[in-house]
Amino acid sequence: ELKVEQNPLFLSMQEGKNYTIYCNYSTTSDRLYWYRQDPGKSLESLFVLLSNGAVKQEGRLMASLDTKARLSTLHITAAVHDLSATYFCAVGALIQGAQKLVFGQGTRLTINP
Amino acid sequence: ETGVTQTPRHLVMGMTNKKSLKCEQHLGHNAMYWYKQSAKKPLELMFVYNFKEQTENNSVPSRFSPECPNSSHLFLHLHTLQPEDSALYLCASSPAPWDTEAFFGQGTRLTVV
């Protein structure tokens, strides 16, 4: 069974600070996704990571993937209020011949002025 | 605006009703997905279609019946639902399954009474 765990689930931080959200998963995977969701809105794709050691950056967000450790991180640099949202990781894997995609519980990020 | 449009945005239905959710994309994508987002559970993948063919059904009850008449349209037919089926139903599309980022619609907020 593929399990995906994010931590922390809730994060309140000040503008200008750095922080990291972690996404651990339980079985071998060949792809990992990060999404952002604003309250009452849909999901916005942030990153798609498809190989070990992949690192992608967009503005103040940087995502990385370590398939050996079964870990992905989403790093926030010098946070600004506009980054307040819920962030989800999702892990895909081929299990018993079927493609599975499992989402983490989400990390609700609040950035205070 | 992601290019994926869902209608209706809100739906209230009784347990004996039959209703349908509609999803439309004109992004030229070949893969389309239905997801369920409940208040207290992680986002769940329900169905995957690739080139109009269903490729994944993640043990979804038969009271949910998907239909994909062409690569641009996806429906979710609902009948004899239960109150616990109340959730946000999200449609997404991607150029190809799994290896590319998905674009999500705004969702249909479904309430079963």
Side-chain angles (χ1 to χ4, degrees), chain B residues 17-67:
Chain B
N17 290 160
K18 290 184 179 180
K19 297 286 184 182
S20 296
L21 310 184
K22 180 182 177 182
C23 176
E24 186 174 358
Q25 59 91 8
H26 295 289
L27 300 170
H29 292 171
N30 296 313
M32 296 189 78
Y33 314 78
W34 278 116
Y35 289 87
K36 175 183 178 182
Q37 188 173 33
S38 305
K40 296 183 179 180
K41 295 174 68 175
L43 196 65
E44 300 170 83
L45 177 65
M46 299 175 71
F47 301 104
V48 181
Y49 278 82
N50 187 30
F51 290 99
K52 304 187 300 178
E53 298 298 321
Q54 186 181 124
T55 59
E56 297 291 335
N57 175 341
N58 283 294
S59 304
V60 180
S62 60
R63 57 186 184 269
F64 296 91
S65 175
E67 179 189 2

XYZ file of all heavy atoms in Angstrom, chain B residues 17-67:
429
model
N -32.032 11.250 -6.075
C -31.889 11.972 -7.353
C -30.829 11.348 -8.248
O -29.972 10.588 -7.796
C -31.485 13.427 -7.088
C -32.589 14.246 -6.456
O -32.333 15.271 -5.861
N -33.823 13.792 -6.590
N -30.896 11.729 -9.511
C -29.828 11.439 -10.468
C -29.354 12.771 -11.032
O -30.162 13.555 -11.517
C -30.336 10.560 -11.615
C -30.656 9.132 -11.241
C -31.050 8.344 -12.481
C -31.355 6.891 -12.137
N -31.732 6.109 -13.346
N -28.073 12.981 -10.972
C -27.492 14.209 -11.504
C -26.179 13.877 -12.191
O -25.622 12.791 -12.013
C -27.232 15.224 -10.387
C -28.473 15.715 -9.666
C -29.271 16.671 -10.523
C -30.461 17.221 -9.719
N -31.299 18.120 -10.544
N -25.672 14.837 -12.947
C -24.382 14.654 -13.609
C -23.503 15.875 -13.433
O -23.983 17.007 -13.485
C -24.581 14.388 -15.111
O -25.275 13.183 -15.319
N -22.222 15.614 -13.249
C -21.219 16.671 -13.231
C -20.517 16.669 -14.588
O -20.263 15.606 -15.162
C -20.190 16.436 -12.124
C -20.720 16.152 -10.731
C -19.551 16.043 -9.744
C -21.714 17.182 -10.287
N -20.182 17.870 -15.034
C -19.557 17.993 -16.354
C -18.206 18.664 -16.234
O -18.013 19.579 -15.435
C -20.446 18.815 -17.282
C -19.885 19.008 -18.687
C -20.809 19.869 -19.528
C -20.224 20.133 -20.906
N -21.105 21.006 -21.712
N -17.276 18.179 -17.040
C -15.941 18.768 -17.099
C -15.558 18.928 -18.566
O -15.784 18.016 -19.381
C -14.942 17.875 -16.384
S -13.231 18.454 -16.484
N -14.967 20.050 -18.887
C -14.613 20.345 -20.276
C -13.233 20.986 -20.328
O -12.922 21.869 -19.524
C -15.667 21.287 -20.855
C -15.541 21.594 -22.321
C -16.720 22.408 -22.831
O -17.654 22.690 -22.041
O -16.729 22.761 -24.012
N -12.424 20.533 -21.259
C -11.120 21.183 -21.463
C -10.844 21.264 -22.959
O -11.143 20.336 -23.708
C -9.993 20.422 -20.731
C -9.801 18.978 -21.122
C -8.830 18.736 -22.239
O -8.132 19.653 -22.696
N -8.746 17.494 -22.709
N -10.279 22.391 -23.348
C -9.904 22.599 -24.745
C -8.428 22.919 -24.814
O -7.988 23.815 -25.533
C -10.771 23.697 -25.363
C -12.219 23.306 -25.437
N -12.693 22.354 -26.316
C -13.296 23.694 -24.701
C -13.994 22.205 -26.151
N -14.401 22.989 -25.175
N -7.664 22.186 -24.007
C -6.216 22.359 -23.953
C -5.507 21.365 -24.848
O -4.273 21.364 -24.911
C -5.743 22.186 -22.496
C -6.356 23.171 -21.486
C -6.020 22.746 -20.065
C -5.865 24.581 -21.765
N -6.286 20.491 -25.490
C -5.666 19.463 -26.315
C -5.083 18.316 -25.518
O -4.274 17.545 -26.035
N -5.498 18.206 -24.266
C -4.992 17.136 -23.408
C -5.679 15.816 -23.723
O -6.841 15.787 -24.129
C -5.202 17.486 -21.935
C -4.356 18.630 -21.483
N -4.525 19.235 -20.245
C -3.326 19.288 -22.082
C -3.629 20.206 -20.119
N -2.904 20.250 -21.223
N -4.946 14.741 -23.483
C -5.483 13.417 -23.760
C -5.933 12.660 -22.524
O -6.647 11.668 -22.626
C -4.436 12.578 -24.493
C -4.103 13.158 -25.846
O -4.993 13.504 -26.613
N -2.820 13.286 -26.135
N -5.500 13.098 -21.361
C -5.852 12.417 -20.123
C -6.757 13.304 -19.284
O -6.545 14.515 -19.177
C -4.592 12.081 -19.334
N -7.765 12.689 -18.694
C -8.672 13.413 -17.808
C -8.920 12.582 -16.564
O -8.869 11.345 -16.600
C -9.982 13.742 -18.517
C -9.799 14.682 -19.706
S -11.341 15.278 -20.410
C -11.803 16.549 -19.219
N -9.186 13.284 -15.458
C -9.254 12.633 -14.151
C -10.431 13.184 -13.346
O -10.772 14.357 -13.465
C -7.985 12.931 -13.333
C -6.666 12.775 -14.061
C -6.208 13.748 -14.934
C -5.862 11.659 -13.831
C -4.983 13.624 -15.584
C -4.628 11.529 -14.467
C -4.208 12.512 -15.344
O -2.994 12.375 -15.979
N -10.988 12.332 -12.500
C -11.914 12.780 -11.461
C -11.265 12.535 -10.102
O -10.744 11.435 -9.844
C -13.237 12.028 -11.506
C -14.228 12.523 -12.505
C -14.716 11.849 -13.584
C -14.878 13.808 -12.528
N -15.609 12.617 -14.266
C -15.730 13.829 -13.657
C -14.823 14.946 -11.730
C -16.532 14.934 -13.992
C -15.601 16.043 -12.063
C -16.447 16.027 -13.174
N -11.352 13.557 -9.228
C -10.866 13.458 -7.866
C -11.995 13.832 -6.905
O -12.863 14.630 -7.238
C -9.723 14.439 -7.606
C -8.414 14.110 -8.266
C -8.142 14.537 -9.567
C -7.433 13.403 -7.586
C -6.927 14.249 -10.168
C -6.211 13.121 -8.183
C -5.970 13.547 -9.470
O -4.771 13.269 -10.054
N -11.893 13.293 -5.685
C -12.821 13.669 -4.622
C -12.017 14.287 -3.484
O -11.020 13.701 -3.046
C -13.571 12.437 -4.116
C -14.490 12.699 -2.928
C -15.143 11.403 -2.459
C -16.038 11.657 -1.238
N -16.658 10.396 -0.735
N -12.460 15.447 -3.014
C -11.808 16.088 -1.880
C -12.834 16.263 -0.767
O -13.736 17.081 -0.869
C -11.193 17.432 -2.265
C -10.350 18.036 -1.151
C -9.605 19.286 -1.572
O -10.090 20.063 -2.395
N -8.416 19.489 -1.028
N -12.667 15.484 0.302
C -13.537 15.578 1.467
C -12.867 16.417 2.527
O -11.649 16.606 2.515
C -13.820 14.177 2.030
O -14.340 13.329 1.045
N -13.686 16.858 3.461
C -13.166 17.769 4.483
C -12.094 17.109 5.352
O -11.122 17.740 5.735
C -14.309 18.273 5.350
N -12.248 15.843 5.625
C -11.357 15.233 6.606
C -10.505 14.116 6.036
O -9.941 13.325 6.789
C -12.177 14.717 7.794
C -12.890 15.838 8.552
C -13.645 15.327 9.753
C -14.305 16.485 10.489
N -15.058 16.025 11.674
N -10.401 14.039 4.725
C -9.603 12.989 4.101
C -8.716 13.595 3.026
O -9.062 14.625 2.431
C -10.509 11.925 3.483
C -11.342 11.161 4.480
C -12.310 10.227 3.787
C -11.616 9.093 3.095
N -12.577 8.128 2.516
N -7.591 12.954 2.758
C -6.748 13.446 1.661
C -7.482 13.364 0.326
O -8.424 12.593 0.168
C -5.550 12.498 1.680
C -5.551 11.905 3.041
C -6.982 11.821 3.452
N -7.016 14.122 -0.604
C -7.570 14.097 -1.955
C -7.466 12.682 -2.522
O -6.425 12.033 -2.425
C -6.767 15.067 -2.819
C -7.356 15.503 -4.145
C -8.607 16.315 -3.920
C -6.342 16.315 -4.921
N -8.574 12.208 -3.117
C -8.607 10.832 -3.619
C -8.817 10.815 -5.124
O -9.752 11.443 -5.620
C -9.771 10.071 -2.971
C -9.727 9.972 -1.475
C -11.040 9.409 -0.938
O -11.206 8.179 -0.934
O -11.905 10.212 -0.528
N -7.967 10.084 -5.811
C -8.162 9.878 -7.235
C -9.283 8.871 -7.427
O -9.282 7.812 -6.806
C -6.865 9.361 -7.861
C -6.904 9.010 -9.341
C -7.152 10.252 -10.181
C -5.606 8.339 -9.744
N -10.240 9.196 -8.317
C -11.370 8.289 -8.545
C -11.204 7.542 -9.870
O -11.215 6.316 -9.902
C -12.673 9.086 -8.567
C -12.978 9.830 -7.280
S -14.447 10.866 -7.437
C -15.748 9.640 -7.488
N -11.093 8.288 -10.946
C -11.051 7.682 -12.284
C -10.000 8.385 -13.138
O -9.758 9.571 -12.978
C -12.407 7.812 -12.996
C -13.553 7.178 -12.291
C -14.472 7.961 -11.612
C -13.723 5.805 -12.296
C -15.550 7.385 -10.950
C -14.798 5.216 -11.644
C -15.708 6.008 -10.973
N -9.447 7.625 -14.073
C -8.526 8.179 -15.047
C -8.961 7.737 -16.434
O -9.274 6.554 -16.644
C -7.075 7.708 -14.805
C -6.134 8.328 -15.841
C -6.625 8.048 -13.402
N -8.967 8.666 -17.368
C -9.240 8.360 -18.766
C -8.069 8.817 -19.608
O -7.506 9.892 -19.393
C -10.508 9.075 -19.248
C -11.776 8.349 -18.883
C -12.327 8.491 -17.608
C -12.408 7.512 -19.776
C -13.484 7.814 -17.259
C -13.569 6.833 -19.448
C -14.105 6.982 -18.183
O -15.241 6.311 -17.840
N -7.686 7.988 -20.551
C -6.636 8.327 -21.500
C -7.153 8.028 -22.902
O -7.527 6.897 -23.201
C -5.373 7.516 -21.198
C -4.201 7.949 -22.050
O -4.104 9.105 -22.437
N -3.299 7.026 -22.328
N -7.192 9.051 -23.736
C -7.765 8.893 -25.073
C -9.152 8.249 -24.997
O -9.447 7.303 -25.723
C -6.854 8.045 -25.973
C -5.588 8.726 -26.363
C -4.403 8.455 -25.698
C -5.560 9.643 -27.399
C -3.219 9.078 -26.067
C -4.381 10.266 -27.778
C -3.211 9.982 -27.106
N -9.968 8.762 -24.131
C -11.366 8.357 -23.940
C -11.532 6.990 -23.282
O -12.652 6.576 -22.995
C -12.148 8.349 -25.254
C -12.154 9.634 -26.028
C -13.103 9.547 -27.219
C -12.718 8.436 -28.170
N -13.659 8.327 -29.306
N -10.454 6.288 -23.039
C -10.566 4.972 -22.428
C -10.264 5.041 -20.941
O -9.262 5.651 -20.534
C -9.595 3.997 -23.100
C -9.862 3.768 -24.580
C -11.214 3.147 -24.831
O -11.621 2.269 -24.039
O -11.897 3.549 -25.812
N -11.106 4.400 -20.152
C -10.864 4.403 -18.718
C -9.681 3.498 -18.401
O -9.677 2.318 -18.787
C -12.101 3.909 -17.959
C -11.955 4.036 -16.442
C -13.173 3.530 -15.679
O -13.074 2.674 -14.825
N -14.338 4.041 -16.005
N -8.703 4.056 -17.731
C -7.511 3.277 -17.405
C -7.383 2.992 -15.912
O -6.630 2.107 -15.520
C -6.239 3.995 -17.871
O -6.177 5.280 -17.238
C -6.225 4.171 -19.377
N -8.101 3.737 -15.100
C -8.042 3.519 -13.668
C -9.425 3.721 -13.059
O -10.131 4.644 -13.422
C -7.077 4.487 -12.977
C -5.631 4.363 -13.403
C -4.995 3.080 -12.937
O -5.451 2.509 -11.927
O -4.047 2.623 -13.599
N -9.755 2.840 -12.144
C -10.951 2.988 -11.318
C -10.515 2.575 -9.925
O -10.285 1.399 -9.651
C -12.065 2.081 -11.838
C -13.300 2.114 -10.938
O -13.234 2.510 -9.770
N -14.421 1.703 -11.462
N -10.375 3.550 -9.067
C -9.817 3.258 -7.757
C -10.886 2.832 -6.769
O -11.151 3.513 -5.780
C -9.036 4.467 -7.239
C -7.683 4.575 -7.913
O -6.814 3.736 -7.734
N -7.518 5.613 -8.715
N -11.485 1.687 -7.063
C -12.465 1.087 -6.149
C -13.579 2.055 -5.783
O -13.983 2.154 -4.618
C -11.765 0.593 -4.871
O -10.729 -0.302 -5.191
N -14.068 2.740 -6.798
C -15.125 3.717 -6.572
C -16.477 3.003 -6.616
O -16.717 2.180 -7.509
C -15.081 4.819 -7.645
C -16.186 5.845 -7.405
C -13.714 5.494 -7.648
N -17.384 3.311 -5.679
C -18.713 2.669 -5.696
C -19.448 2.917 -6.995
O -19.282 3.962 -7.647
C -19.429 3.345 -4.514
C -18.350 3.852 -3.638
C -17.210 4.206 -4.533
N -20.291 1.976 -7.367
C -20.975 2.037 -8.660
C -22.002 3.156 -8.734
O -22.494 3.454 -9.832
C -21.656 0.693 -8.954
O -22.600 0.400 -7.946
N -22.325 3.782 -7.631
C -23.248 4.924 -7.685
C -22.590 6.132 -8.359
O -23.247 7.119 -8.667
C -23.757 5.284 -6.288
C -22.696 5.610 -5.257
C -23.338 5.804 -3.884
N -22.386 6.207 -2.870
C -21.723 5.337 -2.113
N -21.905 4.028 -2.273
N -20.879 5.778 -1.192
N -21.288 6.055 -8.582
C -20.559 7.039 -9.387
C -20.227 6.387 -10.721
O -19.519 5.376 -10.758
C -19.264 7.460 -8.700
C -19.461 8.176 -7.399
C -19.497 7.472 -6.205
C -19.619 9.549 -7.371
C -19.679 8.133 -5.000
C -19.804 10.222 -6.167
C -19.832 9.505 -4.982
N -20.688 6.977 -11.792
C -20.486 6.388 -13.109
C -19.872 7.418 -14.042
O -20.522 8.392 -14.419
C -21.830 5.903 -13.660
O -21.683 5.432 -14.977
N -18.620 7.238 -14.433
C -17.991 8.219 -15.311
C -18.310 7.941 -16.780
O -18.640 6.821 -17.166
C -16.497 8.012 -15.030
C -16.397 6.559 -14.718
C -17.686 6.180 -14.023
N -18.186 8.997 -17.562
C -18.359 8.866 -19.009
C -17.430 9.844 -19.696
O -17.354 11.011 -19.299
C -19.802 9.181 -19.409
C -20.057 9.098 -20.911
C -21.429 9.629 -21.315
O -22.182 10.094 -20.429
O -21.729 9.613 -22.514
